[in-house]
Amino acid sequence: MSSDAVPMSGPLMPHVDGFAAVLAAQGYAAGTVTLYRQHVGHLSRWLETRALGAGVLSEGLIEEFLVERHARGRQTRLRVSSFASALAYLRGVGVIRSPEQAPVGEVDALLLRFAGYLAKERGLAQPTVSLRTQLVRPFLVSLTERGGLDLPSLTAEDVTAFIVAESQVRPASVPPTVTALRSLLRFLHVEGVVSAGLASAVPAANSRRLAGLPKALPAEQVAAMLATCDLATAVGRRNLAILKLLARLGLRSGEVACLRLDHIDWRRGEVMVMGKGSRYERLPLPGDAGGAIVAYLKDGRQAGAHREVFLSARGPYRPMSPDAVSNVAAAAARKAGLGIVRGHRLRHSAATAMLAAGGSLTEIGQVLRHQHTATTAIYAKVDIEGLRRVARPWPTPEAAA
């Protein structure tokens, strides 16, 4: 159905043409622009039926719209994120207020400070910051049900009761929630709100140690993933370069996404990687990985103002997100008939491949940029035979004497 066939009415109607013009200027395909117009049209009519103006539009209101839409059996692929571009446009032209302009409640104000602490003091990446703030929000909201956010009176029983309740409703989310809640309580201690020992009151989540780690892929399966890249296309050349960095250097998806043209020293054959905690470290760039990047840069990468190495394959040409990088590995695995493989699994595969080639845990840890050898052993999933190769022999009674 064309956009003209969708009756346009409601408070968003005066802004649809401007929004569509911005999308077109950013390089979106005509069909995509039409689809976005349709989504905004449906949302506008929903607002009209409830006598709501454009100025009150928010992510929460869009969630209500989608819930009602899905309940009627309409399109279920739409998400709040589907309207992110529309919200950004409406905020940009002053129709609705940006989140930082909107009044925030006691919980939101605390979460903003907590997010700043995680990003600036702990050096955590933005996706991790967002996840932890989302996970602790229900805990803080539950405290307000007693008549306000009275944090100084917080007790170990409150913390334990929340985790127990979460384990009954959302058992799969308990491990990350435990981690997030401990971070929050440490932050509150730093702010002088709660005692130092309260973080230790968070009960440990029951899980089998290392059971959730991805299984490494053998070399032939990694090679099969690389072989799925069609080097006759720009997308294939880009994807091969990405997979080489994931499989040969064991980079994280976020590290590949953040890689910039300035980070590659072609003369020295080195690449500078920004890892966890925003720490930059230099690594040798393998020849095959460097060659794949060169092929993509020469014939495949869209020229533009962005300095990130890897850009989206279609307009608007923007830097790839960590999820998009991980999806490259997932798509290659599907084509190779390997099932579900995400980017992080190739990092484990790189570790085990280096171990099998005779590398020590110290050497592998330097490539993966681990601070502790124990972490490297976990990533490499060292088995008994592997441990025998790197461990010192146990002294015999004769040697001890």
Side-chain angles (χ1 to χ4, degrees), residues 62-118:
I62 292 175
E63 183 68 37
E64 292 182 26
F65 159 69
L66 294 177
V67 169
E68 290 191 20
R69 182 179 175 83
H70 296 170
R72 297 196 305 268
R74 302 296 297 274
Q75 182 178 353
T76 58
R77 292 185 178 180
L78 281 179
R79 299 290 184 269
V80 174
S81 58
S82 306
F83 295 87
S85 297
L87 285 172
Y89 171 77
L90 293 172
R91 284 169 178 149
V93 298
V95 175
I96 58 178
R97 290 183 295 184
S98 59
E100 57 270 18
Q101 294 173 321
V104 295
E106 203 173 2
V107 170
D108 290 321
L110 177 60
L111 289 176
L112 284 174
R113 299 201 307 276
F114 179 48
Y117 162 79
L118 293 176

Side-chain angles (χ1 to χ4, degrees), residues 255-273:
E255 293 167 349
V256 174
C258 292
L259 185 65
R260 296 171 63 88
L261 298 172
D262 322 78
H263 293 165
I264 304 176
D265 189 335
W266 296 108
R267 292 184 179 276
R268 295 180 178 229
E270 293 179 340
V271 59
M272 188 164 59
V273 178

